[in-house]
Amino acid sequence: MNISLRRGERIFVNGAVLRVDRKVCIELLNDVTFLLENHVMQEEEATTPLRRLYFVIQTMIISPNDCDAAVALCRETLVSLSGAAKDPRIVAGLGAAIRHIADERPFEALKAVRAMFQIEAELAASPQTEQRGAA
């Protein structure tokens, strides 16, 4: 896999934070877990249930050697959100995230949760949110 980074951009690889001082292309030759800087959510941005879940999963990826508490919190959050969700798109997305976490594929779970942000925003903006059951 090839990743292009701009000057000053960071990438999180297997828990290490790398910052490049010039434009560079990195070729990953083996299986690694990584996050690009533009996919990293700051804690203060975790303002909704799905964004908080994203932040927890992100923590598992960024700190793989110290993620036991994050894994437990992730599982609790997934169960809680799954029980509360009424919208079938959210239910399906959470189901996918649960499977990915069970398969130890947190990056895939992160993508599944990120894909639901727009749905969550639409449900929150809808006057019928209580009837339709937002995440």
Side-chain angles (χ1 to χ4, degrees):
M1 168 177 274
N2 289 319
I3 300 172
S4 295
L5 300 170
R6 295 181 301 266
R7 181 181 186 269
E9 197 169 14
R10 293 182 303 172
I11 184 171
F12 300 80
V13 180
N14 287 350
V17 181
L18 308 170
R19 183 183 341 213
V20 297
D21 64 352
R22 64 186 66 98
K23 184 177 178 180
V24 66
C25 183
I26 298 172
E27 183 177 6
L28 300 175
L29 300 175
N30 63 344
D31 193 23
V32 299
T33 303
F34 71 92
L35 276 179
L36 297 174
E37 183 173 18
N38 62 347
H39 290 147
V40 174
M41 179 182 291
Q42 299 303 311
E43 187 172 8
E44 59 272 6
E45 296 174 288
T47 57
T48 68
L50 288 177
R51 288 180 177 274
R52 285 190 289 275
L53 176 59
Y54 183 96
F55 186 79
V56 171
I57 297 170
Q58 167 189 290
T59 301
M60 293 165 48
I61 294 170
I62 290 175
S63 301
N65 295 327
D66 187 32
C67 71
D68 291 339
V71 170
L73 181 58
C74 177
R75 289 186 175 136
E76 289 173 26
T77 304
L78 281 165
V79 167
S80 174
L81 288 175
S82 294
K86 304 279 189 276
D87 186 283
R89 299 168 297 174
I90 298 289
V91 171
L94 290 171
I98 289 169
R99 286 188 300 278
H100 294 313
I101 293 297
D103 292 341
E104 297 183 4
R105 298 178 59 208
F107 185 76
E108 295 300 321
L110 201 66
K111 290 188 334 187
V113 172
R114 186 172 52 238
M116 293 184 285
F117 286 172
Q118 183 61 37
I119 299 166
E120 182 181 45
E122 290 170 9
L123 292 172
S126 171
Q128 299 174 352
T129 298
E130 288 182 25
Q131 295 172 1
R132 292 184 7 201

